[in-house]
Amino acid sequence: MIHVAICDDEKYMSDIIGKMVSDFFHRKNMDIAIMQFSSGEELLEYDKRIDILFLDIQMKHLDGIETAKRLREHEFKGFLIFVTILKEMVFHSFEVQAYDYLVKPIEETRFEKMMERLFLSLQNASESNLLVQKGYESRIVPFEDIVYCEIIDRKVYLHLESSEVIDFYGRIENLEEKLDDRFFRCHRSFLINMKYLKSYKNGRAYMEGNREIPVSRLRSKEFSGVILQYMKKWRL
């Protein structure tokens, strides 16, 4: 899921951008979550993930440029798009690594071109996303959303935290190469995300959501070591 934030002190403008963003990703068959903020101060208090941020420059009190500086200082890594009335204001955006800008009122053609480029950037920029292609459709799935992967016959099934299951044709060996070391192949038919592991006992991996995954005897000894390595790298 792609997490989009819109920060604008004009509610009607925030709604317009939200509708345009929603329509774009709907056509791409991608799930998104949209959060709206009415001030820079409110945005800075939000401590959850943001992949794309539309940020108004001319806001009361804390303007968009200063808000962006503080976000970058706090390790914000998402794509930043400034929204402004005055095009000249965008020259101040280089120091905060803005991806692009939109001038109010927003032109639909300009918006669509920018979003197409951004969509490609989303596919290529992150090493923590999986690009799933199914027929003519494509979808970006963050690694952290995947609880486990299962292979049945020639199909791969991605079981997500949301309980959604995404299926596509592929080989588990190819999938294993694309995923990072949060994932462990505990069985010839299963890859699990260690983030969601609750316990391990008697050859069974107990995952969040009351899901049980078999661990083969050949991999059980290695599994114990992998759990310790994961704890050191990802949880400590």
Side-chain angles (χ1 to χ4, degrees):
M1 178 176 288
I2 303 298
H3 297 259
V4 180
I6 304 167
C7 184
D8 197 307
D9 56 4
E10 297 178 309
K11 181 67 165 56
Y12 81 94
M13 180 55 65
S14 186
D15 289 340
I16 288 173
I17 296 172
K19 178 67 164 54
M20 295 173 80
V21 169
S22 180
D23 289 347
F24 177 85
F25 281 112
H26 179 74
R27 292 194 298 272
K28 297 295 184 183
N29 195 38
M30 293 182 63
D31 293 328
I32 63 168
I34 298 179
M35 295 78 67
Q36 294 187 359
F37 304 91
S38 59
S39 69
E41 292 87 348
E42 183 184 359
L43 175 62
L44 290 170
E45 291 178 359
Y46 185 77
D47 61 357
K48 294 182 175 59
R49 171 178 156 195
I50 296 176
D51 300 307
I52 303 170
L53 171 61
F54 291 86
L55 181 58
D56 184 22
I57 291 182
Q58 292 91 1
M59 293 188 295
K60 298 175 182 178
H61 307 299
L62 194 64
D63 66 30
I65 299 295
E66 183 58 33
T67 300
K69 288 179 181 178
R70 297 188 189 182
L71 284 171
R72 292 302 191 196
E73 288 172 359
H74 288 84
E75 304 300 318
F76 170 64
K77 303 294 185 183
F79 290 93
L80 171 61
I81 297 102
F82 277 122
V83 183
T84 179
I85 296 175
L86 302 173
K87 186 175 180 179
E88 294 75 16
M89 292 293 296
V90 176
F91 292 114
H92 298 284
S93 68
F94 294 109
E95 58 189 296
V96 290
Q97 298 88 49
Y99 180 80
D100 208 334
Y101 67 93
L102 296 168
V103 176
K104 299 178 183 180
I106 298 172
E107 296 179 1
E108 186 173 348
T109 302
R110 162 90 170 113
F111 177 85
E112 289 293 324
K113 288 181 178 179
M114 185 205 71
M115 290 301 294
E116 287 292 346
R117 288 191 295 104
L118 179 56
F119 181 66
L120 290 175
S121 298
L122 279 169
Q123 292 176 328
N124 299 324
S126 177
E127 296 179 355
S128 297
N129 291 330
L130 179 68
L131 175 62
V132 175
Q133 293 181 303
K134 184 177 179 181
Y136 294 102
E137 299 178 352
S138 61
R139 179 170 174 177
I140 297 171
V141 182
F143 289 172
E144 64 182 35
D145 290 352
I146 302 171
V147 178
Y148 69 95
C149 315
E150 180 180 12
I151 184 79
I152 301 176
D153 295 327
R154 293 174 52 242
K155 261 193 175 182
V156 173
Y157 294 83
L158 304 180
H159 296 260
L160 306 187
E161 183 185 15
S162 64
S163 297
E164 180 185 4
V165 179
I166 301 172
D167 66 273
F168 60 95
Y169 286 102
R171 298 183 58 184
I172 199 165
E173 292 82 5
N174 295 338
L175 178 61
E176 187 176 12
E177 291 179 359
K178 295 177 182 178
L179 299 174
D180 60 23
D181 56 5
R182 280 172 285 190
F183 291 83
F184 177 70
R185 190 173 178 184
C186 61
H187 185 278
R188 65 182 181 181
S189 300
F190 291 93
L191 276 161
I192 63 171
N193 187 340
M194 304 294 288
K195 171 185 175 181
Y196 297 101
L197 178 68
K198 294 181 66 177
S199 63
Y200 169 53
K201 184 180 180 181
N202 298 328
R204 310 290 293 182
Y206 295 88
M207 313 294 290
E208 290 186 14
N210 298 317
R211 310 178 208 194
E212 296 182 24
I213 308 296
V215 179
S216 68
R217 285 181 295 174
L218 292 174
R219 298 179 183 269
S220 59
K221 185 175 181 180
E222 181 186 358
F223 190 35
S224 299
V226 169
I227 292 173
L228 291 174
Q229 291 177 2
Y230 174 81
M231 293 292 289
K232 289 178 181 179
K233 180 173 181 178
W234 296 97
R235 292 188 179 176
L236 296 184

